[in-house]
Amino acid sequence: MSLARAGGGERAIERVPFYLDDAVADATSSARVLAEGHGVTIFAERFEEARVVGDAALVRQLVVILLHNAVKFTLAGGRIQLSVGITLGRPTLVVEDTGIGIDADQLPRVFERFYRATETLARSDDPRAKTGAGAGLGLSIARWIADAHDATIAIESKVSVGTRVTVQFPA
């Protein structure tokens, strides 16, 4: 629905100042319950004030999507590390997990609607990774939110090591 509303112009995007660290803290508190249920730890490596102009509710949704993906594809005992601050003059969020990772050949497609990295999932020993793969819309929505804020979103991943997602907002 988010993508349909956005494409149809039904969802106006606010352009007001807010703090990225506040949006991340709010999203993290809701994701932490899910993480604890899966035996995954979320912690902040760096948590600095970072002012952004945009729609705080949408940015919070972007963070929730990234955290839920990280929890979903991180095995029990794994970790999700958050970093929020200013990098090279730009407000930046990094979500890094110790999850199952994504095959390099599948990385270019992860932001496509309905795309799921099925080869990586098939090799995972964790039943959550096989059954909890979702509809393949989360990262499409995350990309739309980033684009709507003139932000960049990039994913680096290595199978059996984990995934790192970096979102950089305009200065």
Side-chain angles (χ1 to χ4, degrees):
M1 289 301 292
S2 294
L3 286 172
R5 287 186 180 126
E10 293 179 37
R11 172 61 164 95
I13 298 173
E14 291 185 3
R15 300 282 180 207
V16 298
F18 69 95
Y19 288 92
L20 179 59
D21 48 306
D22 291 340
V24 172
D26 187 39
T28 302
S29 66
S30 68
R32 193 164 264 129
V33 173
L34 178 66
E36 288 171 1
H38 289 294
V40 175
T41 304
I42 299 176
F43 72 97
E45 175 189 55
R46 179 178 90 161
F47 216 78
E48 301 170 353
E49 194 171 82
R51 188 175 181 266
V52 173
V53 175
D55 192 314
L58 285 177
V59 171
R60 181 191 181 282
Q61 183 179 2
L62 180 150
V63 178
V64 166
I65 290 166
L66 297 181
L67 288 172
H68 281 201
N69 274 358
V71 169
K72 188 186 310 183
F73 299 112
T74 299
L75 304 178
R79 302 174 347 157
I80 299 166
Q81 180 176 298
L82 294 171
S83 175
V84 180
I86 305 296
T87 304
L88 300 173
R90 297 178 66 184
T92 303
L93 163 67
V94 177
V95 178
E96 190 167 5
D97 66 51
T98 59
I100 64 172
I102 304 166
D103 286 326
D105 63 330
Q106 295 187 28
L107 276 175
R109 300 193 61 204
V110 296
F111 291 111
E112 294 176 14
R113 289 183 193 188
F114 307 110
Y115 183 76
R116 299 184 322 176
T118 53
E119 291 175 26
T120 305
L121 295 175
R123 285 197 307 268
S124 173
D125 293 331
D126 190 324
R128 283 182 296 139
K130 291 180 177 76
T131 62
L137 288 172
L139 288 177
S140 297
I141 295 168
R143 164 64 57 85
W144 170 78
I145 294 168
D147 289 348
H149 288 83
D150 296 320
T152 60
I153 184 168
I155 297 183
E156 303 167 59
S157 190
K158 187 170 181 182
V159 174
S160 301
V161 175
T163 301
R164 176 185 175 105
V165 181
T166 303
V167 182
Q168 284 197 304
F169 292 85

